[in-house]
Amino acid sequence: MFTVNGTTIVDYPRFQHRGLLLDTSRHFLDVSIIKQNLLAMSQSKFNVFHWHIVDDQSFPYTSNNFPDMATMGAYDSKHIYTQDQIAEIIEFARILGIRVIPEFDSPGHSQSWGKSIKDLLTKCYSSGKPNGQYGPIDPSLETSYGFLSKFFAEIAKVFPDHYVHLGGDEVNFDCWKSNPNITAFMKQKDFGTDYAKLEEYYMQRLLDIVSGVKKGYMIWQEVVDNGAKISKEAIVEIYRNQGYMFDVYLTTQKGYRTVLQACWYLDLIKYGVQWQAFYACDPGNFNGTAEQKKLVIGGETCMWGEYVDNTNVLSRTWPRASVVAERLWSAQNVKDANAAAPRLEEHRCRMIKRGFPAEAVNGPGYCSQEYSIHEPV
């Protein structure tokens, strides 16, 4: 005769969007590393992989329609993601219950795009002549929008998730201001000298293109701050790390669904115990109405790639990312950092036992099974 103990577990996520961003432009990450990160995400109940796949520094995405973008824009031919590899990553994530949302940021952060697409980037001028430098995508040329239409029609087919991240952040206006053709276009459109209106014009055209291929979109907060008219199903991501809860308030007041990232920069490291600040940040901690609170659908932690690559991205990310995962999953009243510390330590040791190089985060201590690697050959 056997006695079975019956246990009922009631558990569910507080937020529907629980994401982690990896940047594969500043430093290329192998497919195997991305897969290991996805496994770690699944074991911490993350469900969105925000893939910042390209940027100024390199363009590792291999486009079917524009193959030269990777050929000329990637670091070299070994530092690219083929269509088969992208499909492999998407399917691997799907099995783990993780969505893959790619980011193709423009009109800024696009220097690598212009290495192969003629006249896409704005020519910068000095003393009335081109100086050999290039700025953001040229919003005055119809050829820019013809390219974007064809490119995002492809992206809509390659990435099955309904959403694509369109960026829209950190656009430097200096090159636009120097270009006489842009100046003439500004006058034609009656924009005066307000270059935020020119950025809004570009983003509005891009949003319409992406909506036309039946995709939803995420954007960085500047797009809304500059007055673009966006769909109510769009997702606005708050990333500026000063006054960010007021930005959440303003964005939700406008009726837009919102994701918070601003307080969860994993790449900004310092000596000592750092995770408590991540744990204290709460996307719902602002003075808004009940309807505004409903528009906050979650958050994302991010590991920007300037100083991480295959050698350290996993240890730099984990287990600190798990702190954000708990904040986004657990009830709002689960907020005692002292109570969370032993859970985090236990989870770190669990990750090490499973083969992840999860770094120490609580100071001196040990795991019963320590992480080890094979000696170099």
Side-chain angles (χ1 to χ4, degrees):
M1 186 172 183
F2 297 94
T3 301
V4 178
N5 177 40
T7 301
T8 300
I9 298 174
V10 179
D11 191 24
Y12 52 88
R14 178 181 170 204
F15 293 104
Q16 69 185 66
H17 187 114
R18 304 179 305 281
L20 188 151
L21 177 152
L22 283 187
D23 169 10
T24 59
S25 172
R26 274 78 177 207
H27 280 99
F28 182 84
L29 299 176
D30 286 346
V31 172
S32 62
I33 295 293
I34 293 175
K35 284 184 171 182
Q36 287 183 61
N37 186 71
L38 288 166
L39 279 172
M41 287 175 64
S42 71
Q43 293 168 18
S44 289
K45 298 182 179 178
F46 281 109
N47 68 342
V48 177
F49 172 36
H50 177 166
W51 191 355
H52 189 88
I53 189 169
V54 302
D55 209 293
D56 283 331
Q57 291 77 10
S58 74
F59 197 98
Y61 170 77
T62 302
S63 168
N64 287 323
N65 292 334
F66 303 96
D68 284 347
M69 292 184 78
T71 303
M72 301 174 69
Y75 286 128
D76 64 28
S77 60
K78 294 181 292 186
H79 293 78
I80 63 170
Y81 301 106
T82 67
Q83 288 289 318
D84 286 344
Q85 288 173 324
I86 292 168
E88 180 184 346
I89 289 168
I90 292 171
E91 177 62 10
F92 190 84
R94 186 194 66 81
I95 292 170
L96 296 172
I98 297 172
R99 300 162 54 202
V100 177
I101 298 180
E103 180 180 354
F104 294 90
D105 192 355
S106 72
H109 293 275
S110 55
Q111 291 295 300
S112 63
W113 304 37
K115 292 180 179 180
S116 62
I117 307 299
K118 184 180 178 181
D119 295 329
L120 180 65
L121 301 182
T122 303
K123 293 181 177 69
C124 304
Y125 280 65
S126 296
S127 302
K129 297 179 180 180
N131 61 18
Q133 301 296 312
Y134 293 88
I137 289 175
D138 190 331
S140 70
L141 298 178
E142 280 302 312
T143 52
S144 296
Y145 304 106
F147 158 75
L148 291 167
S149 295
K150 190 172 181 180
F151 181 74
F152 280 101
E154 173 187 324
I155 296 305
K157 295 176 182 177
V158 172
F159 292 91
D161 196 88
H162 180 60
Y163 283 88
V164 59
H165 203 302
L166 300 178
D169 65 315
E170 300 176 338
V171 181
N172 189 315
F173 296 154
D174 290 344
C175 186
W176 282 353
K177 290 177 180 179
S178 75
N179 186 297
N181 297 323
I182 298 287
T183 301
F185 184 78
M186 292 277 288
K187 185 176 181 180
Q188 175 191 334
K189 292 294 183 181
D190 199 26
F191 291 161
T193 57
D194 187 353
Y195 285 83
K197 289 184 178 179
L198 182 61
E199 181 184 4
E200 178 191 346
Y201 172 84
Y202 170 87
M203 288 305 301
Q204 198 65 63
R205 293 285 301 267
L206 177 59
L207 298 180
D208 292 344
I209 286 169
V210 172
S211 295
V213 294
K214 309 302 181 185
K215 280 287 188 182
Y217 48 83
M218 292 182 68
I219 46 176
W220 298 114
Q221 63 188 91
E222 278 105 320
V223 179
V224 170
D225 293 343
N226 290 336
K229 299 174 183 177
I230 68 172
S231 165
K232 289 299 182 181
E233 76 160 3
I235 299 172
V236 180
E237 188 157 13
I238 305 299
Y239 80 95
R240 289 173 173 164
N241 57 9
Q242 292 185 344
Y244 51 83
M245 292 315 303
F246 186 61
D247 288 335
V248 172
Y249 171 82
L250 291 176
T251 305
T252 55
Q253 189 181 49
K254 294 174 182 177
Y256 296 128
R257 297 198 296 165
T258 303
V259 163
L260 178 65
Q261 184 195 95
C263 52
W264 291 317
Y265 282 88
L266 296 171
D267 52 300
L268 300 181
I269 60 172
K270 60 183 179 181
Y271 184 80
V273 179
Q274 188 180 8
W275 63 265
Q276 292 99 326
F278 297 158
Y279 199 69
C281 183
D282 189 316
N285 189 23
F286 66 100
N287 293 322
T289 66
E291 290 304 310
Q292 283 179 264
K293 299 291 181 82
K294 289 178 183 178
L295 290 171
V296 181
I297 64 171
E300 291 186 350
T301 187
C302 54
M303 178 54 76
W304 294 100
E306 286 87 351
Y307 298 100
V308 292
D309 60 10
N310 288 336
T311 66
N312 64 347
V313 66
L314 291 173
S315 60
R316 191 73 61 85
T317 302
W318 303 100
R320 291 184 302 143
S322 303
V323 175
V324 181
E326 178 168 310
R327 169 56 54 239
L328 294 173
W329 179 279
S330 298
Q332 189 170 15
N333 62 3
V334 180
K335 57 184 180 181
D336 186 343
N338 291 327
R343 289 199 301 275
L344 179 60
E345 193 69 18
E346 180 182 5
H347 188 53
R348 174 186 176 249
C349 291
R350 184 184 301 121
M351 294 187 78
I352 287 175
K353 189 174 182 180
R354 293 171 178 172
F356 297 100
E359 68 180 9
V361 289
N362 282 325
Y366 77 101
C367 293
S368 60
Q369 179 176 322
E370 297 289 1
Y371 183 77
S372 63
I373 59 175
H374 298 293
E375 293 184 3
V377 178

